[in-house]
Amino acid sequence: MNILISGGSGFLGSAFSDEIMARYRAQDKALHITWLTRDSSQAHPNDIEMMTYDELASSDKSFEVVLNLAGAGIADSRWSDERKEQLLASRIKPTESLLAFIKRTSIKPKLMVSGSAIGWYGTQGDKPLTEGSGFETDFAHRLCDEWEQLALTATDYGVPVAIVRTGVVIHPEGGMLGKLLTPFKMGVGGQLGDGKQIMSWISREDWVEAAIFIIEQHLASKGDSDANTTHDNALQTTNDTTAVVYNLTAPNPVNNHTFTKTLGSWLHRPTFFTLPNFLLKLMFGEMSTLLIDGQKVLPQALQDAGYKFKHPTLKQALEEQK
């Protein structure tokens, strides 16, 4: 299998690459991974081939799977107007390059898996949200929706698309947990606001396993639309080409109070502090909605398709990390 990945060196792309290479090597299956990059000198594992976006524009290589993960971290800095433009451009420009390649190449990929986030649903409190749920309009929704709609253009060229809406990814090496470890280890970690806001999370290992599951399920079904569509996760396209969406979240979301206590217990540290909402808004501005306003997003389509979570609870996700 040949896989092309944008964002391959990132928090998710690198873990995906490591796991699928180890798995296919153990099964004696052929696998070749290419990371798209803007810097040809970027450090990378020896088993990974690097390709610049300029090289992609004229490449005649073929790939069975395209994994589109490129995008600046939405929670890395305050949402100024300039930052919002950067967040959108960092997703749109790589996707446009991939679509231009897909349009031009004579041998089309069998599947494009494109990143998104549960921010697509907007702020909806503790209302259970599945792939068939509607949305509330805010910046996070608009960002995710524009990215998703562009990725779905691949179906115009006969390439099936799977959108993966990712929750808070749990792993000590990065993401939200990586940022929280230092203050919690110092004993100054604590609850955000009233602690009632729901956090929909997934362990990084389950994210990787789920992404591989989606890819292998699709390839095994040979594009049959019934085999790739479960309940309400089908997306509308302009033709008969399959497009589906999956929530990549664990089946047991928790509120911030529970998350704080579970993390403190895992680290054997107290969690006495509370950051009130007004202070979070003062510190983070509009971006504070990611911390204050919850989302209860459930992985209905993934479970209906038969995926079994390695870490269905937050305690397991913390205690059993690779």
Side-chain angles (χ1 to χ4, degrees), residues 116-119 165-170 200-202 207 247-249 297:
S116 186
I118 60 173
R165 293 176 184 158
T166 299
V168 176
V169 181
I170 299 296
S200 297
W201 60 275
I202 186 171
W207 189 97
N247 292 333
L248 264 56
T249 56
V297 181

Side-chain angles (χ1 to χ4, degrees), residues 37-44 50 52:
T37 180
R38 300 197 181 280
D39 180 7
S40 58
S41 64
Q42 182 183 36
H44 60 279
M50 303 295 280
T52 67

Side-chain angles (χ1 to χ4, degrees), residues 56-96:
L56 179 68
S58 59
S59 175
D60 59 358
K61 293 185 177 181
S62 62
F63 300 94
E64 290 175 87
V65 175
V66 173
L67 182 56
N68 181 28
L69 301 177
I74 192 171
D76 287 353
S77 61
R78 290 174 67 104
W79 291 348
S80 64
D81 289 343
E82 181 181 5
R83 180 58 179 171
K84 287 180 178 180
E85 291 178 3
Q86 291 172 345
L87 289 171
L88 183 59
S90 68
R91 288 159 173 76
I92 296 301
K93 290 182 179 179
T95 305
E96 288 176 336

